[in-house]
Amino acid sequence: MEGLDSGLKFMPREDWDTTEQFLAVSDQKHVEKKPYRRIRLVIGLALGAGLLALLIGLLVWGFHSNQDVQVKKVYIGSVGISGKPFLPEYEDPSSLQFKKLANQVDKELRRMYSENPVLDKYFTRCSVQAFSDGDGGPDSILAYYESEFELPASQEASLNEAIQSLEPSAGSQHAQRGRQIQRPTESLTLRSVSSQALDLRLSRTNITEKVPINLHVKNKNKIDSPGFPDSTYPPNTSQKWSLRAEQGHRVRLDFHTLFLEDDCEKDFIQIYDSLLPIESQLLTEQCGYPHGSLSYVSSGNVMLVLLVTNSEKNFPGFRAYYSQIPANTAECGGKLLGERGNFSSSLFPVNYPPKAVCTWEIQVPQDKFVKVEFKKFEVGKDGATCVGDYVEIEDQRLCGNRLESNVFTSESNKMTIRFQSDTSLVYQGFTAYYEAFIPTNPCPGKFKCSNNMCIISDRKCDGYNDCGDNSDEINCKCDVTQMMCKNNLCKSKAWKCDGVDDCGDNSDEEGCECKKEQFSCRNGRCIAEDLKCNGKNDCGDGSDESKCEKSLMLKCSATTYRCKNGRCISKANPECDGQTDCSDGSDEENCNCGRREYQSSRIIGGQASRKGEWPWQVSLHARGQGHTCGASVLNDCWLLTAAHCVQDEYAEANQWEAFLGLHVQGQTNEWTVTRRIKRIIPHEDYNTLSFDNDIALMELDSSVTLNQYIWPICLPPSSDDFPAGQEAWITGWGAMVEGGSSAKILQKAMVRIINHTTCKNLLQDDVTDRMLCAGILDGGVDACQGDSGGPLTVTNPSGRVFVAGLVSWGQGCAQRNKPGVYTRMTKFRSWIKERSGV
Ligand code: 4AZ
């Protein structure tokens, strides 16, 4: 349309007849009456049509030229060379030998590309970047190369296809052993090629690529990310470390610290079983603050570590120790002939290496069968299809990290177990226990679960899911201490109305105190549901006005939060929750606490924590005794601990030394700070018999510098509420089993807040209002001796960590139905303020 309009603009205005129609050429009258007009019209039409054609042409040309914009594509890959031994000179790109071999590989690659019309047409250059020992025996070498192609964008797909057609069998585990490319004399015997387009994140245009670092790992040493530990890593940077072990060895890398931004699209670290970042040889990609095993082992004698950062948010980075291990130490499998024993995947608990293949053949006496129980299982990505990494037991493949059943039995006296890993993405693997059993009596003296586990007979129908599949809890007759759930399970009466769904169908929490249409107040009162959040304190304790969408101004009470200006608000736990609730903003003041600075975020039955995960945790050493109690950092001068830790001969300040920023007992490092104690303030009402008011303050002899490993925890205001069932964490170096020795590495464990009445009933002891119970009623997880004084922490919705309790006492450790008892911190907020000013 525009074309026609502009054509008409050439016509003189005065000649324009609005009655005219362009398509009226067949209107003879008009044509005859006005011959000049007709000529002009024809010219106009011709001009318009010409312009239209030109425009269409331009558009079509534009479309095509856009499609065919020239693009550069870089592929990286490796190629195996057989019949040639690896020479030390091949490690040095400036050596003659390197250059000569690189030249030969270059020629071979060109020749290979020339056989494919697509590759031949668009190939521009290739360069051999490195060599390593090959995986085809002593006379084999791997060459790592980069090839560049320049082509119209529309041809990218066919280039990809052509590149893939070079691979012997893409994705297959032992692709490298695939095909042989035999060439005439003076040329190389290439065993296989694998190539892949470069990861787009590695070719960000604004990235500064630092000079790659090449290291020999024969002597154990460390690599640090740039700036570590003094500063955060630089933005928009990529750094490669190439690690090489001696022939016949593997590279091992153990991370000591790893703190990156919590988004792998932005900052990430990758570890390759190769000298180039070839995706099919990627062992792991990590970012954030990862948990789990961070130790990696290569399949050959090389490994590549790659760090890439973007423009924003830079974090401390990493420190990792490298070393070499003889190649055969990663081997696993073999014949197991005893009646019982343990076996595990290669190098457990280190992540298994890629390309592992292990077979265990278990054989027990003729008249017995075999039972295998997996204790820990992490083989391949969860939800994967058991193709790359898996365990195979008698034709059944297992993978991921959640097994439906972790016990497997044979139908004969033999059992074969296979484990294999593919070329990429490694995990921690498994440990397993096996034993022989008599087929007619698989669980002598014990109860046999449906999943083949054997449990102590007393544990049947005890209200706990001991089998893991609940088979010990079905078809039970409830005893006098138990109630029957709607789903027919029997559970302890003590668990009724404790705020936790013990039955699994919530029937133990139904009909508790208040009727259905009523609201149950924190103080136990029942009020009509519609009185909730009406701005009036109908419960009397304000709990009907807490957890309302809007924070209402209320008459001050024990459950309302008092702002600095004296006004009280109804919102539950408003302090430091990231939202300003008080009109004077005071609920969000003094919130420099409870954050693990770089997170994006004994203990019995717990697990080792990561460095810096609990920066408020302190180890208190009593003179000549080593670690004795735990404590928490309140600020640069004050610590919080339990009064029972500082009694009698421990009451003197000069008895104590505090270790802040400590992770492993006996291993102080550059982040550990030790301080003597200037003053101890135990609670004046601490009761040595009942452990009531079990709280004390410690003032350091000189202040400490706060950093990511030493950071204050938040103190909850007196109005805060931690309801039953809430998740909480305990941390400490206390005993790992009752009566046992203390832990070396700081342990952590998740417990839940227990309803106060339930706790009193369970412990049948004086659990006062200044105490708070937490634990796992099934048993197995608890604080114990040596954890005392340490924190019981809860995290609020904005990710801030508060100290809800202090480890105080308990009836033994980790026993069933015996929760741990903690000093209830909300009761001591003003006491702490008065005594320390914090
Ligand atoms: C103790 O002796 C201790 N299970 C601490 C906590 C608990 C038991 C004992 C709780 O320090």
Side-chain angles (χ1 to χ4, degrees):
M1 293 289 272
E2 257 186 50
L4 285 175
D5 272 349
S6 37
L8 290 170
K9 277 182 195 140
F10 289 105
M11 297 175 107
R13 192 86 204 139
E14 65 273 22
D15 291 343
W16 179 243
D17 182 347
T18 48
T19 61
E20 269 183 17
Q21 296 170 5
F22 283 116
L23 298 177
V25 270
S26 58
D27 187 339
Q28 290 296 315
K29 265 197 253 167
H30 271 178
V31 172
E32 277 162 27
K33 266 188 185 166
K34 298 176 181 172
Y36 291 114
R37 280 198 177 178
R38 196 178 146 207
I39 292 165
R40 275 193 227 145
L41 188 69
V42 171
I43 293 171
L45 268 172
L47 253 170
L51 275 165
L52 180 67
L54 186 70
L55 194 86
I56 292 170
L58 275 171
L59 276 173
V60 170
W61 177 80
F63 176 74
H64 273 278
S65 64
N66 230 354
Q67 274 282 299
D68 277 2
V69 115
Q70 288 291 109
V71 290
K72 233 185 229 172
K73 279 213 84 171
V74 178
Y75 287 83
I76 51 171
S78 63
V79 57
I81 305 163
S82 44
K84 248 186 184 305
F86 185 85
L87 306 175
E89 290 81 2
Y90 292 150
E91 290 179 21
D92 174 12
S94 64
S95 74
L96 262 178
Q97 286 87 339
F98 183 105
K99 286 183 181 153
K100 188 163 169 248
L101 188 58
N103 223 340
Q104 278 179 292
V105 173
D106 184 295
K107 258 195 210 143
E108 284 305 321
L109 285 171
R110 280 167 197 270
R111 184 156 29 202
M112 217 164 59
Y113 292 151
S114 72
E115 284 171 6
N116 180 305
V118 178
L119 300 177
D120 187 39
K121 190 166 173 195
Y122 302 123
F123 173 77
T124 48
R125 63 164 196 98
C126 68
S127 73
V128 173
Q129 316 245 311
F131 294 107
S132 74
D133 285 283
D135 59 357
D139 274 0
S140 70
I141 300 174
L142 264 184
Y144 302 89
Y145 64 88
E146 199 178 281
S147 299
E148 199 179 282
F149 298 83
E150 220 174 298
L151 69 164
S154 59
Q155 296 298 306
E156 267 191 57
S158 34
L159 179 69
N160 267 335
E161 218 170 274
I163 282 283
Q164 264 155 37
S165 73
L166 295 179
E167 292 203 36
S169 55
S172 102
Q173 192 211 345
H174 298 298
Q176 309 290 335
R177 293 189 193 112
R179 98 180 175 181
Q180 294 251 322
I181 308 157
Q182 198 80 42
R183 292 287 155 204
T185 46
E186 244 319 277
S187 62
L188 299 173
T189 305
L190 300 190
R191 284 192 310 112
S192 63
V193 266
S194 69
S195 324
Q196 149 233 305
L198 209 56
D199 185 336
L200 285 177
R201 291 171 304 168
L202 308 185
S203 45
R204 284 179 197 149
T205 46
N206 55 349
I207 278 191
T208 314
E209 204 174 321
K210 289 197 166 229
V211 181
I213 297 171
N214 297 313
L215 295 163
H216 264 278
V217 301
K218 187 178 166 198
N219 299 316
K220 193 179 156 114
N221 209 330
K222 64 176 191 305
I223 50 177
D224 286 345
S225 53
F228 189 91
D230 307 317
S231 63
T232 55
Y233 47 72
N236 294 323
T237 302
S238 119
Q239 172 79 67
K240 284 188 190 122
W241 292 263
S242 299
L243 308 176
R244 228 182 249 275
E246 287 177 301
Q247 224 170 21
H249 290 76
R250 298 172 190 251
V251 179
R252 177 174 167 161
L253 190 67
D254 299 281
F255 281 86
H256 165 275
T257 309
L258 183 52
F259 275 129
L260 302 184
E261 186 175 357
D262 204 9
D263 180 349
C264 291
E265 284 303 309
K266 295 178 174 161
D267 298 345
F268 59 90
I269 183 166
Q270 290 177 330
I271 299 170
Y272 289 89
D273 190 36
S274 161
L275 285 176
L276 283 188
I278 301 169
E279 199 186 337
S280 60
Q281 289 164 341
L282 174 69
L283 297 185
T284 193
E285 177 175 289
Q286 298 285 351
C287 57
Y289 187 80
H291 290 250
S293 170
L294 287 172
S295 295
Y296 299 90
V297 170
S298 61
S299 67
N301 71 333
V302 292
M303 189 183 266
L304 176 77
V305 181
L306 170 62
L307 172 75
V308 177
T309 72
N310 80 338
S311 55
E312 330 125 14
K313 291 201 199 147
N314 298 305
F315 286 70
F318 72 87
R319 167 165 292 175
Y321 289 93
Y322 57 73
S323 57
Q324 67 177 31
I325 57 168
N328 58 10
T329 47
E331 281 168 10
C332 60
K335 278 198 163 35
L336 302 171
L337 300 173
E339 285 224 9
R340 58 184 56 81
N342 292 298
F343 59 100
S344 56
S345 52
S346 323
L347 300 168
F348 189 91
V350 168
N351 291 305
Y352 52 76
K355 301 192 218 165
V357 181
C358 315
T359 306
W360 291 268
E361 282 171 7
I362 304 175
Q363 190 172 343
V364 297
Q366 204 84 61
D367 53 337
K368 295 186 175 173
F369 287 3
V370 183
K371 176 161 50 181
V372 166
E373 185 177 347
F374 288 99
K375 302 284 181 202
K376 160 96 202 176
F377 195 91
E378 197 195 358
V379 176
K381 203 172 165 193
D382 199 32
T385 44
C386 299
V387 176
D389 298 2
Y390 58 85
V391 169
E392 197 171 64
I393 300 188
E394 323 258 273
D395 294 336
Q396 191 183 354
R397 282 194 182 182
L398 314 169
C399 64
N401 60 16
R402 268 183 299 237
L403 293 179
E404 252 172 50
S405 161
N406 54 356
V407 180
F408 298 83
T409 52
S410 68
E411 304 264 292
S412 77
N413 69 328
K414 291 183 186 148
M415 193 188 247
T416 303
I417 296 133
R418 255 174 57 80
F419 162 66
Q420 86 156 48
S421 64
D422 63 8
T423 59
S424 65
L425 298 182
V426 294
Y427 298 85
Q428 198 173 20
F430 69 86
T431 51
Y433 169 75
Y434 82 91
E435 66 179 0
F437 68 94
I438 301 163
T440 50
N441 186 11
C443 293
K446 290 184 168 180
F447 172 78
K448 182 177 174 287
C449 307
S450 301
N451 61 14
N452 293 323
M453 251 176 83
C454 303
I455 59 160
I456 300 169
S457 300
D458 287 355
R459 301 218 155 158
K460 181 158 169 53
C461 298
D462 66 351
Y464 296 97
N465 177 10
D466 300 282
C467 286
D469 63 357
N470 250 330
S471 54
D472 54 321
E473 294 300 316
I474 49 174
N475 303 325
C476 297
K477 243 186 99 205
C478 303
D479 68 23
V480 285
T481 66
Q482 293 177 320
M483 62 179 165
M484 168 89 80
C485 303
K486 278 197 179 146
N487 57 14
N488 291 333
L489 291 177
C490 299
K491 298 284 171 188
S492 166
K493 279 181 181 160
W495 302 350
K496 190 159 173 52
C497 300
D498 66 352
V500 179
D501 174 14
D502 302 287
C503 287
D505 61 1
N506 210 37
S507 51
D508 56 314
E509 296 303 311
E510 284 171 4
C512 298
E513 293 157 18
C514 301
K515 296 200 191 86
K516 223 176 172 187
E517 63 283 0
Q518 288 183 317
F519 172 78
S520 93
C521 307
R522 234 194 270 170
N523 58 11
R525 261 206 230 162
C526 300
I527 59 159
E529 184 71 35
D530 53 10
L531 296 179
K532 215 177 124 192
C533 298
N534 67 352
K536 286 200 206 110
N537 181 4
D538 301 289
C539 281
D541 64 357
S543 54
D544 55 321
E545 297 305 320
S546 65
K547 298 190 183 137
C548 300
E549 293 235 317
K550 236 178 116 216
S551 182
L552 296 159
M553 217 68 93
L554 282 187
K555 218 171 118 216
C556 298
S557 74
T559 55
T560 57
Y561 178 79
R562 186 187 283 272
C563 306
K564 225 181 187 173
N565 58 12
R567 300 228 173 118
C568 288
I569 56 166
S570 61
K571 190 179 179 187
N573 305 0
E575 198 165 282
C576 303
D577 69 349
Q579 287 163 6
T580 305
D581 301 292
C582 292
S583 51
D584 60 359
S586 54
D587 57 312
E588 295 299 314
E589 281 173 8
N590 305 320
C591 291
N592 219 0
C593 59
R595 275 234 196 270
R596 296 156 176 123
E597 202 177 343
Y598 289 105
Q599 261 198 299
S600 10
S601 93
R602 170 156 164 170
I603 305 290
I604 292 177
Q607 50 178 314
S609 53
R610 300 284 316 281
K611 244 197 139 303
E613 196 177 356
W614 311 100
W616 33 82
Q617 178 77 46
V618 177
S619 168
L620 294 177
H621 285 214
R623 188 181 293 159
Q625 317 243 325
H627 171 83
T628 305
C629 267
S632 302
V633 175
L634 292 187
N635 68 10
D636 58 349
C637 298
W638 287 95
L639 307 181
L640 185 66
T641 188
H644 83 257
C645 287
V646 290
Q647 295 301 305
D648 309 321
E649 70 267 35
Y650 300 107
E652 294 295 325
N654 63 14
Q655 294 287 309
W656 291 99
E657 193 170 16
F659 286 71
L660 290 79
L662 184 73
H663 183 54
V664 183
Q665 290 290 341
Q667 282 183 27
T668 52
N669 58 36
E670 56 269 49
W671 302 293
T672 313
V673 171
T674 57
R675 285 287 182 275
R676 297 230 161 249
I677 304 300
K678 189 197 286 182
R679 185 158 56 122
I680 300 177
I681 310 175
H683 199 287
E684 48 286 357
D685 297 327
Y686 167 65
N687 186 320
T688 50
L689 293 178
S690 66
F691 281 44
D692 206 9
N693 302 303
D694 191 8
I695 184 169
L697 287 159
M698 278 185 169
E699 190 179 1
L700 303 176
D701 69 342
S702 63
S703 66
V704 290
T705 306
L706 301 176
N707 59 40
Q708 78 232 42
Y709 300 99
I710 303 175
W711 201 252
I713 195 160
C714 298
L715 287 168
S718 59
S719 58
D720 266 12
D721 178 38
F722 306 115
Q726 182 173 358
E727 182 179 311
W729 285 81
I730 45 175
T731 47
W733 290 272
M736 310 246 271
V737 284
E738 201 175 330
S741 56
S742 54
K744 279 205 89 156
I745 303 175
L746 179 62
Q747 302 289 301
K748 63 178 176 186
M750 199 272 280
V751 289
R752 290 193 184 275
I753 306 288
I754 309 270
N755 173 290
H756 203 59
T757 318
T758 307
C759 186
K760 279 188 191 180
N761 290 338
L762 289 173
L763 295 182
Q764 296 182 342
D765 211 330
D766 203 6
V767 182
T768 72
D769 290 348
R770 287 153 300 282
M771 298 173 190
L772 172 72
C773 299
I776 298 290
L777 294 183
D778 280 8
V781 186
D782 199 4
C784 202
Q785 194 172 23
D787 294 319
S788 285
L792 167 81
T793 63
V794 292
T795 306
N796 77 0
S798 75
R800 260 179 221 286
V801 182
F802 283 75
V803 51
L806 305 180
V807 178
S808 181
W809 62 279
Q811 290 173 6
C813 302
Q815 291 181 19
R816 283 192 168 189
N817 272 332
K818 301 291 177 203
V821 185
Y822 298 79
T823 312
R824 190 185 280 268
M825 286 308 302
T826 48
K827 297 287 177 192
F828 298 97
R829 185 64 194 94
S830 49
W831 180 83
I832 293 171
K833 184 88 191 160
E834 279 160 25
R835 303 294 143 138
S836 66
V838 183

